[in-house]
Amino acid sequence: MSDLRERWRTSFIEATSYDWAVEHEQVAGVLGRLIWGTDTSAFYRDIARLSELPAGTSVLDIPCGGGVAFRGLRPEQELHYVAADLSPVMLRRAQAEADRHGIHWIEFVEADVEALPFEDRTFDLVVTYTGLHCF
């Protein structure tokens, strides 16, 4: 595993500061414009569309980070949703975020995007909202 990947897997400070910025839409909007020159509102609109997925949809969210995508899910949805991340720190944050939203049907898996532990065609949809740096 590269030094960068290992740092993302184990670093509490980097993981939580990055995650904190993404969790706060206003902050992410400012940083998105300053750092990447992008409008992050499309990012949050896309996440909101997760609430429209039909029952039975199988979703892989990798890397899930701290669970920013969970804001688009509804507690009563009937999805097979796997939130996977390389970092145990991020998975703990994601679990807390799911609990905060009352979503108790998410499966959490420690996994590396470069070595997925899933069979081909396991998922109907794969989302990655905050993990471009992992690819």
Side-chain angles (χ1 to χ4, degrees), residues 58 60 80 82 109 111 115-126:
S58 187
L60 173 62
H80 173 236
V82 176
V109 175
L116 296 176
F118 310 107
E119 295 292 324
D120 289 349
R121 300 182 183 180
T122 299
F123 300 97
D124 302 309
L125 175 67
V126 177

Coordinates of all heavy atoms in Angstrom, one line a residue, residues 58 60 80 82 109 111 115-126:
S58 N -29.5 -2.3 -5.0 CA -28.2 -2.6 -4.3 C -27.2 -1.5 -4.6 O -26.9 -1.3 -5.8 CB -27.8 -4.0 -4.8 OG -26.7 -4.4 -4.0
L60 N -23.4 0.4 -3.7 CA -22.1 0.4 -3.0 C -21.6 1.9 -3.0 O -21.6 2.5 -4.0 CB -21.0 -0.4 -3.8 CG -19.6 -0.3 -3.3 CD1 -19.4 -0.8 -1.9 CD2 -18.7 -1.1 -4.3
H80 N -30.3 -2.3 -0.3 CA -29.1 -3.1 0.1 C -28.0 -2.1 -0.1 O -27.6 -1.9 -1.2 CB -28.9 -4.4 -0.7 CG -27.6 -5.0 -0.3 ND1 -26.7 -5.3 -1.3 CD2 -27.1 -5.4 0.8 CE1 -25.6 -5.9 -0.7 NE2 -25.9 -6.0 0.6
V82 N -24.2 -0.8 0.9 CA -23.0 -1.1 1.5 C -22.1 0.1 1.5 O -21.8 0.7 0.4 CB -22.2 -2.3 0.8 CG1 -20.9 -2.5 1.4 CG2 -23.1 -3.5 0.8
V109 N -18.3 -1.9 5.6 CA -17.2 -2.9 5.2 C -15.9 -2.1 5.0 O -15.9 -1.1 4.3 CB -17.5 -3.6 3.9 CG1 -16.4 -4.5 3.4 CG2 -18.8 -4.4 4.0
A111 N -12.8 -1.7 3.1 CA -12.4 -2.2 1.8 C -11.6 -1.1 1.1 O -11.8 0.1 1.2 CB -13.6 -2.5 1.0
A115 N -9.0 -3.1 -4.4 CA -9.1 -4.5 -4.2 C -10.4 -4.8 -3.5 O -10.5 -5.2 -2.4 CB -7.9 -5.0 -3.3
L116 N -11.5 -4.6 -4.3 CA -12.8 -4.8 -3.8 C -13.1 -6.2 -3.4 O -12.9 -7.1 -4.2 CB -13.9 -4.3 -4.8 CG -13.8 -2.8 -5.1 CD1 -14.8 -2.4 -6.2 CD2 -14.0 -1.9 -3.9
P117 N -13.8 -6.4 -2.3 CA -14.1 -7.8 -1.9 C -15.5 -8.3 -2.3 O -16.1 -9.1 -1.6 CB -14.0 -7.7 -0.3 CG -14.5 -6.3 -0.1 CD -13.9 -5.5 -1.2
F118 N -15.9 -7.8 -3.4 CA -17.3 -8.1 -3.9 C -17.2 -8.8 -5.3 O -16.4 -8.5 -6.1 CB -18.1 -6.8 -4.0 CG -18.1 -6.0 -2.8 CD1 -17.4 -4.8 -2.8 CD2 -18.7 -6.3 -1.6 CE1 -17.3 -4.0 -1.6 CE2 -18.7 -5.6 -0.5 CZ -18.0 -4.4 -0.5
E119 N -18.2 -9.6 -5.5 CA -18.3 -10.3 -6.8 C -18.7 -9.3 -7.8 O -19.4 -8.3 -7.5 CB -19.3 -11.4 -6.7 CG -18.9 -12.6 -5.8 CD -17.7 -13.4 -6.3 OE1 -17.6 -13.5 -7.5 OE2 -16.9 -13.8 -5.5
D120 N -18.4 -9.5 -9.1 CA -18.9 -8.7 -10.2 C -20.4 -8.7 -10.2 O -21.0 -9.7 -9.8 CB -18.4 -9.2 -11.5 CG -16.9 -9.0 -11.7 OD1 -16.3 -8.2 -10.9 OD2 -16.4 -9.5 -12.7
R121 N -21.0 -7.6 -10.6 CA -22.5 -7.5 -10.7 C -23.2 -7.6 -9.4 O -24.4 -8.0 -9.4 CB -23.0 -8.4 -11.7 CG -22.4 -8.2 -13.1 CD -23.0 -9.1 -14.1 NE -22.3 -8.9 -15.4 CZ -22.5 -9.5 -16.5 NH1 -23.4 -10.4 -16.5 NH2 -21.9 -9.2 -17.6
T122 N -22.5 -7.3 -8.3 CA -23.2 -7.4 -7.0 C -24.1 -6.2 -6.8 O -25.1 -6.3 -6.1 CB -22.1 -7.4 -5.8 OG1 -21.4 -8.6 -6.0 CG2 -22.8 -7.4 -4.5
F123 N -23.8 -5.0 -7.4 CA -24.5 -3.8 -7.1 C -25.1 -3.2 -8.4 O -24.6 -3.4 -9.5 CB -23.5 -2.8 -6.5 CG -22.9 -3.2 -5.3 CD1 -21.6 -3.8 -5.2 CD2 -23.6 -3.1 -4.1 CE1 -21.0 -4.3 -4.1 CE2 -23.0 -3.6 -2.9 CZ -21.8 -4.2 -2.9
D124 N -26.3 -2.6 -8.2 CA -27.0 -1.9 -9.3 C -26.4 -0.5 -9.5 O -26.4 0.0 -10.6 CB -28.5 -1.7 -8.9 CG -29.1 -3.0 -8.7 OD1 -29.0 -3.9 -9.5 OD2 -29.8 -3.2 -7.6
L125 N -25.8 0.1 -8.4 CA -25.3 1.4 -8.5 C -24.1 1.5 -7.6 O -24.1 1.0 -6.4 CB -26.4 2.4 -8.0 CG -26.0 3.9 -7.8 CD1 -25.7 4.5 -9.2 CD2 -27.1 4.6 -7.1
V126 N -23.1 2.2 -8.1 CA -21.9 2.5 -7.2 C -21.7 4.0 -7.2 O -21.8 4.6 -8.2 CB -20.6 1.8 -7.8 CG1 -19.4 2.2 -7.0 CG2 -20.8 0.3 -7.9

